[in-house]
Amino acid sequence: MKSVLPERLTIHQHDIEYRELDPGAATALRSLAAEIRHRLGDASHTATLHDPALIAQITERAGELPDSVRHAVRPPATAAGATVVRGLPVDDADFGPTPAHWQAAAEHADSGSLELDITMLLLGRCVGEPFGWQGQQNGRLVNNIVPAAGHEDEQSGASSSTLLSPHTEDAFHAQRANLLMLTCLRNPDRVATTVSSVREVHLSDDDLRTLTTPTLPILPDVSYGTGFDQLAPLPTLWLDETGSVTARYDPAYTPIDDADAVFRAAYARLTAELARVSHAPALAPGEILLVDNDVAVHGRVPFRARYDGTDRWLKRINIRLPERARRAQESSENGYGQQVVAPFRAAADRTAERGIADERGSVEQP
């Protein structure tokens, strides 16, 4: 499906929240990641990052980090739904050339790239539960976002020459992330990531009623494959009992033309409003963008990829926040069969089971 947004998007700058990771905390974070990598070695953990020993280390040792680390990566606190965290030390020489595609990034990661993966998992564990998708990047917990030849014009993270339309990450799925964490390794061309919040838009009551009515399905993006049959319609916006609005918005994978004129007009006004309030941080190496995926949509401006090892390279993790529960109305969705990869949850369940067993054992002893 084609994007409903124009190829040239006018970015209107607004204030966005910035935080600083203090130098001592940043050093402690990178030192802990390096220690875990050295302890476990490189080869067995690179492909998916699911190794139980790695998951155990992340879980057990994230608590050693200074409280200021957890404070820096807490969910965005403003209506913009996005925060840039500065101060993570990275050295371009540690990462080697930008890989030609995500598979190469995952399968042939050098020690610097793997150490940053561990760093991101530690940060994600400080705030919630990092997870992946079986159908995306082979279930890897940390996704590599790099331009790939032959994918320039598609609506995915591998594109470059086309506008990546602002969207809710994995809007098609009820178990989508609450929080996204995007970390910049390399961005020599200062390519901007766009972020817009539904809490900053202005819509009429009629448009809100239209967009909160389940009308159209949302399909998985091409990173999960193609050929999906359309399932049940979903609301584009949700209103809770306080009137606060959240979103499931992905125009590139929503069959807009199947809706009536009233819905199309309301959707177009929402799209225009999201463009009006768009923030456009161009991440520098060592900067982390936190996106509240329940209220903010994100995309990327077009750029010309060189494929010479110097192109933009980001890493992304999906995070579930324990304090946020999905709505009961979403529980019946099958998510097009896409399954989460949740080793931290599995590890917590095993720990809980052991605790119950130990408690029962102690009761049964004479």
Side-chain angles (χ1 to χ4, degrees), residues 203-215 235-237 239 262-263 266:
L203 295 170
S204 69
D205 290 343
D206 286 343
D207 283 345
L208 283 172
R209 277 191 292 270
T210 297
L211 294 170
T212 54
T213 301
T215 303
T236 303
L237 302 178
L239 290 174
V262 172
F263 181 87

Side-chain angles (χ1 to χ4, degrees), residues 16 37 64 131 142 211 214 217 233 309 313:
I16 190 170
R37 181 182 66 79
E64 299 175 15
F131 70 95
V142 181
L211 294 170
W313 183 2

Side-chain angles (χ1 to χ4, degrees), residues 234-250:
L234 303 170
T236 303
L237 302 178
W238 301 77
L239 290 174
D240 64 21
E241 60 277 3
T242 68
S244 182
V245 62
T246 60
R248 292 178 74 170
Y249 174 86
D250 194 348

Side-chain angles (χ1 to χ4, degrees), residues 275-300:
R276 182 182 65 82
V277 302
S278 183
H279 307 262
L283 297 178
E287 290 187 337
I288 301 167
L289 177 63
L290 303 174
V291 179
D292 187 329
N293 197 47
D294 291 327
V295 303
V297 298
H298 70 287
R300 189 216 61 242

Side-chain angles (χ1 to χ4, degrees), residues 138-178:
N138 289 342
R140 201 168 194 271
L141 294 181
V142 181
N143 294 161
N144 288 280
I145 310 300
V146 295
H151 298 265
E152 290 87 350
D153 296 319
E154 71 183 23
Q155 285 293 308
S156 78
S159 68
S160 52
S161 61
T162 192
L163 175 80
L164 181 61
S165 296
H167 59 282
T168 303
E169 189 73 9
D170 303 314
F172 71 94
H173 207 290
Q175 296 184 57
R176 63 199 177 278
N178 302 115

Side-chain angles (χ1 to χ4, degrees), residues 248-269:
R248 292 178 74 170
Y249 174 86
D250 194 348
Y253 293 95
T254 301
I256 305 295
D257 292 342
D258 293 348
D260 62 25
V262 172
F263 181 87
R264 293 199 306 271
Y267 202 95
R269 284 188 285 270

